[in-house]
Amino acid sequence: MRQKNMKVVMCAVTAVLTFSSIDISANAATNVASVLPSAGVDYTLASNGTSLKNIQDETDTGSSMPSAGNASGVSMGQGTGQEGSISNNTAAGVLNEVMNNMGTEEAASQPQPQALDEAKEDLVIEETKEVDISLLDEKILRDVQKKLDRKDEEEGFKSLVIAKVNDYVNVRSIPSEEGEIIGKLYDKSVGTFISEVDGWYEIKSGSVTGFVKGEYCVTGESAVELAKSVGTRIATVTTTTLKVRQEPGLDKSVIGWVPIEDQLIVTEDLGDWVKVNIEEGDGYVSTDYVSLTTEFVQAESKAEEEARLAKEEAERKAAQAAARKAAERSSSSKGGSGQVMYASGGGSEMGRAVADYALQFVGNPYVYGGTSLTNGADCSGFVMSVYKNFGVSLPHSSAADRSVGAAVNGLENAQPGDLVCYSGHVALYIGNGQIVHASTSKTGIIVSSATYRTPLSVRRIF
């Protein structure tokens, strides 16, 4: 991390971070703007909070910064040349909390520079004495940023409007039941609050901007806890290969590896570590190597719904033709060898053809990053190569597989050939409550119960 030439001024009353010509007042309100994407079924809510490591030095330019109440949620000096400060109840307070709460084990594994140790032990020093911020190690700065980001995100939850209905609530063009229906906000789906008019909430969700009846939704303080329960916490890998450990700690044993940009479901947040679920089981990853976001379902416009249904029908017909040809090739290649140990059941002819083809490779090896059905593939490589035989192109990513094809409402409605998506894993449904998948390096390609882990979604290609 490249450090700015900043300074920390500590006095008898408080520890103060100083930034040239920037005054972040003690009473600055945190007001995070959350913007939803314009398309797609899911979106990620990310904070726009002030980043300590990205604050720009305004001394030379003298440019003015936003004042309190704007999207940044901070009060800053207007290029007067005076040294600004962050009070103890904002960033400096978080910094002191992190420094004071560092455990013995963590401190031992992350040694601090001598000057920083002296500053921490003796807070009562001359007001004019300054310590270069470069002496603050990256660990402390990262911890400060994490705490600020978490507070910013929770504050952002207050601006959500969350549907609480059995199915969906209509999004209308005007705040009245006489208004045109322009979209649907499904149960537990969210939008961003814009205004309130006579008991109606004006929202923006995906490409839809309109009004929903307030009695069917929650917002403000009531939305904070609900957002935590209906949202899915996602850890997106930001390093080339992420190690998943049996317990939190860099010295703990590794149970598996996850590639960059893959997404894992967070089941527990410990601050520096999060608990995730991968094919090898539950494990922990350091938050230094993932980005944390919360994923929600958003509204679907009337036009998007019609386009989605039309596209699914067209893709289904095209896939059916390719599947019939592939099924014929698959049937002739078997030649009555008797090597198939399992058989798919139920569902469409095309789906069964996919499942039967995949079952031929049971017993072959698992290879991380591989795509060979005979010499070794990983979970998404296996699914990708199976469908490639049927003329269908799928991504080599279990996270991306969650967005392909059409959504299937629950595992109870799954049919052979459907993709069953788990946290950091993907498999093919073969019917009768079972899946075939490239599991782990120890087991290879196997057949398992589809409920051996909790599925996140089921996607249908045919």
Side-chain angles (χ1 to χ4, degrees):
M1 176 185 295
R2 184 174 62 88
Q3 302 290 349
K4 287 285 186 180
N5 185 21
M6 301 177 178
K7 299 176 181 178
V8 176
V9 180
M10 298 184 179
C11 62
V13 178
T14 181
V16 179
L17 286 177
T18 61
F19 305 92
S20 300
S21 302
I22 302 179
D23 175 25
I24 305 182
S25 67
N27 297 321
T30 302
N31 179 20
V32 181
S34 300
V35 180
L36 304 180
S38 60
V41 176
D42 300 326
Y43 74 86
T44 299
L45 177 72
S47 62
N48 290 330
T50 303
S51 171
L52 291 180
K53 62 185 177 182
N54 293 328
I55 293 179
Q56 301 298 317
D57 190 338
E58 299 293 334
T59 302
D60 297 332
T61 63
S63 61
S64 61
M65 301 296 289
S67 60
N70 62 15
S72 66
V74 295
S75 175
M76 299 185 176
Q78 303 298 313
T80 60
Q82 64 184 32
E83 286 189 336
S85 66
I86 306 178
S87 68
N88 257 355
N89 63 349
T90 52
V94 174
L95 174 60
N96 287 335
E97 180 182 348
V98 172
M99 293 170 66
N100 293 332
N101 290 335
M102 285 183 66
T104 304
E105 181 177 349
E106 181 180 8
S109 64
Q110 299 290 338
Q112 308 299 316
Q114 181 178 359
L116 177 59
D117 290 337
E118 294 173 355
K120 287 161 55 181
E121 294 170 0
D122 185 12
L123 294 178
V124 184
I125 56 180
E126 294 181 9
E127 185 172 349
T128 57
K129 186 174 181 179
E130 298 178 344
V131 180
D132 195 319
I133 200 171
S134 63
L135 296 179
L136 291 173
D137 78 345
E138 295 184 6
K139 172 64 176 173
I140 291 182
L141 291 177
R142 285 198 301 266
D143 288 346
V144 171
Q145 187 60 52
K146 289 175 190 176
K147 286 181 177 289
L148 289 175
D149 288 344
R150 291 168 195 269
K151 289 183 178 180
D152 285 344
E153 184 181 50
E154 186 165 312
E155 187 70 20
F157 287 161
K158 295 178 183 179
S159 67
L160 298 180
V161 174
I162 307 176
K164 288 188 69 175
V165 289
N166 292 327
D167 193 359
Y168 62 86
V169 57
N170 289 319
V171 183
R172 297 184 180 270
S173 58
I174 60 174
S176 168
E177 292 184 355
E178 302 301 320
E180 177 189 357
I181 297 175
I182 58 176
K184 296 175 180 178
L185 188 68
Y186 294 91
D187 182 44
K188 299 179 182 178
S189 299
V190 308
T192 300
F193 177 86
I194 299 175
S195 66
E196 181 177 358
V197 181
D198 298 329
W200 291 75
Y201 296 142
E202 183 182 11
I203 66 167
K204 176 173 176 54
S205 183
S207 64
V208 183
T209 299
F211 297 86
V212 293
K213 209 164 187 178
E215 63 186 274
Y216 301 121
C217 308
V218 298
T219 190
E221 294 288 348
S222 300
V224 175
E225 290 305 315
L226 184 58
K228 294 177 182 178
S229 64
V230 304
T232 301
R233 195 71 168 157
I234 302 291
T236 302
V237 181
T238 58
T239 188
T240 303
T241 302
L242 176 66
K243 295 179 180 178
V244 182
R245 300 182 181 272
Q246 190 170 25
E247 297 178 19
L250 296 177
D251 58 341
K252 305 303 180 183
S253 59
V254 176
I255 65 170
W257 293 264
V258 182
I260 191 169
E261 294 184 356
D262 212 347
Q263 295 179 332
L264 304 172
I265 304 302
V266 176
T267 58
E268 185 179 3
D269 192 334
L270 304 178
D272 287 342
W273 293 80
V274 290
K275 187 177 182 180
V276 298
N277 184 255
I278 62 172
E279 181 61 12
E280 290 79 2
D282 289 337
Y284 297 84
V285 297
S286 169
T287 54
D288 291 340
Y289 306 107
V290 297
S291 62
L292 296 175
T293 51
T294 304
E295 183 180 276
F296 302 92
V297 178
Q298 63 179 355
E300 184 178 46
S301 71
K302 185 177 180 180
E304 287 171 339
E305 181 182 29
E306 293 173 350
R308 173 177 57 81
L309 294 175
K311 180 182 178 183
E312 290 174 2
E313 180 62 22
E315 290 178 346
R316 187 176 294 110
K317 289 180 179 179
Q320 286 174 351
R324 289 190 184 96
K325 294 180 180 179
E328 293 173 359
R329 293 196 303 269
S330 177
S331 177
S332 60
S333 65
K334 290 179 183 178
S337 63
Q339 298 300 311
V340 179
M341 300 174 60
Y342 303 89
S344 61
S348 67
E349 176 186 352
M350 289 67 65
R352 290 196 304 272
V354 171
D356 285 340
Y357 179 75
L359 285 167
Q360 296 181 85
F361 306 103
V362 170
N364 288 346
Y366 171 100
V367 174
Y368 179 81
T371 60
S372 173
L373 296 173
T374 53
N375 297 325
D378 58 17
C379 64
S380 58
F382 173 69
V383 169
M384 179 184 73
S385 295
V386 167
Y387 264 99
K388 183 179 180 180
N389 182 70
F390 292 84
V392 177
S393 178
L394 294 179
H396 192 181
S397 165
S398 61
D401 283 337
R402 291 173 56 200
S403 301
V404 301
V408 175
N409 186 21
L411 191 59
E412 63 274 12
N413 296 311
Q415 296 180 4
D418 289 349
L419 275 59
V420 183
C421 302
Y422 304 88
S423 173
H425 194 64
V426 64
L428 283 170
Y429 190 73
I430 61 172
N432 304 318
Q434 292 183 307
I435 55 172
V436 59
H437 57 137
S439 180
T440 68
S441 56
K442 292 181 179 180
T443 61
I445 299 173
I446 60 173
V447 170
S448 305
S449 168
T451 57
Y452 85 111
R453 291 169 62 192
T454 302
L456 296 177
S457 63
V458 180
R459 310 294 298 188
R460 181 161 299 157
I461 306 302
F462 295 150

